Amino acid sequence: MEKGTFLQLTQAQLDSCVTCGLCLPHCPTFRLTGDEVASPRGRIAAMGAVAAGDAVVDETYAGILGYCLQCRACEAVCPSLVPFGAMMESARASLAEERPTTTGRLRRILVGRVLNMKWLLALLTSGIALLQKVGLTRLFPGRLRTGRGLRRQRVFPHTAMGIHEYAPAAPVGKIALLAGCVMDQWFQDVHEATIGVLQIAGYSVDVPEGQQCCGALAAHEGAADSARRMADRNVAAFSGYDFVVADAAGCSAHLKEYDVWATDGEDMARRTCDITELVAELLETGRLPTFAPGRGLVAVHDPCHLRHAQRILSAPRDIVRAAGYEPVEIDPDGLCCGAAGVYMINEPAAAHELGERKAEQIRSAGPSLVVSANPGCEIQLRSHLGKRYRVLHPVELYWGVLIADR
Ligand code: SF4
Ligand code: SF4
């Protein structure tokens, strides 16, 4: 995609949809409702009608856009290569400008500002953790009762996160890790696994200061200015490294699109890897060890922003196998689990139904151990599966075996 076209819905983008309908069975909201306006084709038609002046930007249009999960399953199967994700982000940015609402503003403040206020996020997380500890979890929505807020959170930046124990004396390369917003507060075990695995593979790993939330949630919510600002600051913070690594699929997918979000983001977009693809490559080239099979079965959940947005499918399975486990498929279509960033908050009924369907697929598959490479999915899965199930990042699973072997 050309620079500058990301936030401007173009006629060429709209015309690229030939209305074939091949995407419809892959769209979770169409599968839920059977309704054309809840399908990719219907949403593109609605965007086209507004662009042509045949429809107005009203509550109905806002509802049509808002019900989309932005999972990009449609994009992955579209024979006409319709850039649906970019189109939806453009349409939502225009909607936010043309029809500002109080709840929309509050959501954009949350994803555009609060997520970057580490102290406030830490305070909120501590409050949640405390209430969870004293048994007042009934005050929260179900998903927070089983989330990782229970865990002792540590303070940003990297003083507590760096595992210096495995830092190589003569690194083969320099990697910068994106700390992220929610990841930084609730998923530091995943960061530790990521840092440890990369160090054992011979890399030095930094968590550069001055970095911000990647801006994915802001982009999805139509807070385009905030998303651009975060992208520009991250480009400055992450310069000078061989790779920029994110261990949340939603973040790595967004960093790879900095060529259109940041002023000079092409180089950073090129240097970005999701941790799963990098670890899979390190396993393939023998830079990381593999372990004998026979440890058991693991259900593999594909986050949409890994499978559909980045087209990474084999890497999590390769990592599971390398750890000595057998990956078990749960959903050939890779439908969204319903987490989808703040979709859980915006559209709770659809999010709940999709979460239940995904949980049922996992229960039917058998294993009580599940891997998922994205924090939102993990929270959603934990919430719907209950305590009998364990959900880990695939690299966390591998790290557990690797560290036990040393
Ligand atoms: S988005 Fe792609 S797959 Fe879906 S109707 Fe349009 S051209 Fe067909
Ligand atoms: S992004 Fe997902 S929910 Fe939205 S139209 Fe495409 S497949 Fe459907």
Side-chain angles (χ1 to χ4, degrees), residues 14-24 36 39-42 44 74-75 77-84 87:
L14 291 165
D15 291 345
S16 65
C17 175
V18 295
T19 68
C20 65
L22 287 175
C23 54
L24 268 61
E36 176 73 15
S39 78
R41 186 174 61 187
I44 293 168
C74 49
E75 197 177 302
V77 297
C78 174
S80 297
L81 307 179
V82 172
F84 188 87
M87 291 167 72

Side-chain angles (χ1 to χ4, degrees), residues 23 26-30 38-41 43 67-75 84-85 88 336 343:
C23 54
H26 299 271
C27 173
T29 54
F30 182 74
S39 78
R41 186 174 61 187
R43 289 176 177 126
Y67 197 57
C68 172
L69 294 141
Q70 299 187 81
C71 67
R72 294 168 66 176
C74 49
E75 197 177 302
F84 188 87
M88 181 54 76
C336 181
Y343 194 84

